[in-house]
Amino acid sequence: MSGVTQLGYLSIGVSDPEAWRALSTGVLGLEVVPGDNRASLYLRMDEHHHRIELRNDGTDDLQAIGWEVADGAALHALAQRLEDAGVPVRAGTRDEADQRRVLELITFSDPSGIPTEVYYGQPLNQRPFQPSRPISGFKTGDMGLGHVVVRQRDLQAGLKFYQDVLGFRVSDIAGPGGQPFAAFLHCNPRHHSIAMIADPRSPQRIHHFMLECNSLDDVGSGRDLCRKQGAPIVVDLGRHMNDHMVSFYVGNPSQFAIEYGWGARTVDDATWQVGHYESIESIWGHPQLSRMATPSAEPAVAAAVD
Ligand SMILES: [Fe+2]
């Protein structure tokens, strides 16, 4: 089954784009590309036109996850699988595709109502990525922009959907076998492109997204800049048990977190064994320094779901 191949883009609704601009350029090292109108900012982190779109719509939440497939045939096959699974699917308009800078897309919702898009044909911009502070860049390419962690009302329904319809494979499960509270899934060698937390109560769809730097020094200097600029570190430096990422988490102006990391291991489907973690732990570090404004139904998960 041909499934999605990478996390291509995120669209996030924000209420304070200027605060987002300051964090993106002052700490994260992202390049700001002007939007199509004054309501949006595009954030660039590699050769793509953008990887993150910020919409000034006041929602402060995830507004779309964009998953890439190889080509039109793969897109149409996936659309058929969605219809066969009883999921309403809509072809994106030309305007929507142009806004995303893709050739063609479809749009639908995941089992928890998260707006989801699948596309092919994201253009490459030959102008080199120009980081907004002196960093060595981000690990993206075929592994996509990083990972996103979302909340699911019914974890088992989410797991089934992302595997059976979108073609993901499970990397790890966290929590008791009969009632896991988190799942980590991959669609390429990145350990997880999406993770999901069982959380039927929180109104916010997203828990955090992760950007992986090419250098540990970029992570350390980013942490220094957070402290200098007053950006809130909500989970401090540590190394995750499952993907081995060395990272910290900074709170953003939309009251969720951005994980800023380096050094994760990758997954080889030929040899990977699904991991089972009874709780979310780190090899070292990752102390929780403050809670994000949005409560989570699972306190242990709120600390640091990688
Ligand atoms: Fe993470």
Side-chain angles (χ1 to χ4, degrees):
M1 178 176 80
S2 64
V4 304
T5 55
Q6 65 164 281
L7 175 58
Y9 58 79
L10 295 174
S11 180
I12 297 167
V14 306
S15 58
D16 191 345
E18 286 314 305
W20 266 95
R21 180 195 293 269
L23 178 67
S24 300
T25 58
V27 171
L28 304 176
L30 299 170
E31 180 182 351
V32 172
V33 183
D36 288 342
N37 55 55
R38 275 176 283 178
S40 297
L41 288 178
Y42 287 125
L43 301 176
R44 190 165 187 249
M45 58 187 296
D46 58 12
E47 73 276 18
H48 288 73
H49 173 271
H50 69 277
R51 290 287 200 170
I52 297 169
E53 177 195 7
L54 303 178
R55 300 186 204 169
N56 186 11
D57 64 4
T59 58
D60 287 318
D61 202 357
L62 179 65
Q63 291 306 323
I65 304 179
W67 298 108
E68 186 169 270
V69 293
D71 52 25
L75 185 71
H76 299 146
L78 183 48
Q80 188 62 55
R81 278 209 301 281
L82 285 158
E83 288 183 1
D84 292 346
V87 178
V89 56
R90 180 176 69 78
T93 65
R94 187 68 256 158
D95 276 356
E96 289 170 328
D98 288 345
Q99 187 183 0
R100 303 287 193 252
R101 305 292 203 276
V102 301
L103 286 173
E104 190 177 353
L105 80 155
I106 56 174
T107 173
F108 52 94
S109 294
D110 87 348
S112 283
I114 292 174
T116 304
E117 299 171 359
V118 176
Y119 72 90
Y120 73 96
Q122 199 175 40
L124 302 182
N125 187 332
Q126 299 305 317
R127 181 174 62 80
F129 165 57
Q130 295 181 302
S132 53
R133 68 178 182 90
I135 58 172
S136 56
F138 296 98
K139 195 167 188 173
T140 58
D142 293 344
M143 297 210 299
L145 76 87
H147 68 230
V148 62
V149 178
V150 298
R151 297 183 168 92
Q152 292 282 301
R153 291 192 289 265
D154 180 337
L155 189 70
Q156 295 297 346
L159 260 171
K160 182 172 171 49
F161 177 78
Y162 279 88
Q163 290 179 97
D164 295 353
V165 182
L166 299 187
F168 282 82
R169 283 83 70 193
V170 174
S171 304
D172 305 318
I173 298 289
Q179 194 172 11
F181 57 73
F184 302 81
L185 298 101
H186 64 272
C187 58
N188 59 45
R190 189 181 293 286
H191 176 276
H192 54 284
S193 290
I194 189 167
M196 48 191 74
I197 306 169
D199 188 344
R201 290 196 285 273
S202 173
Q204 199 172 35
R205 297 165 176 152
I206 187 169
H207 182 278
H208 72 268
F209 67 82
M210 184 285 300
L211 308 177
E212 185 173 10
C213 298
N214 285 329
S215 159
L216 177 60
D217 291 340
D218 297 339
V219 176
S221 60
R223 180 174 175 274
D224 286 349
L225 286 166
C226 284
R227 295 157 71 96
K228 192 173 172 184
Q229 298 177 16
I233 295 174
V234 293
V235 177
D236 209 350
L237 205 61
R239 182 160 223 162
H240 282 301
M241 187 85 81
N242 63 349
D243 67 356
H244 295 182
M245 183 83 72
V246 175
S247 61
F248 70 90
Y249 294 64
V250 57
N252 66 52
S254 295
Q255 302 302 314
F256 62 90
I258 298 170
E259 182 181 10
Y260 201 62
W262 166 85
R265 62 172 166 166
T266 55
V267 166
D268 178 353
D269 273 319
T271 56
W272 184 257
Q273 303 269 329
V274 171
H276 176 213
Y277 299 89
E278 293 186 321
S279 62
I280 300 287
E281 294 177 14
S282 294
I283 297 171
W284 53 266
H286 281 143
Q288 184 173 353
L289 301 185
S290 68
R291 298 188 64 83
M292 297 304 300
T294 303
S296 171
E298 176 53 67
V301 174
V305 167
D306 44 330

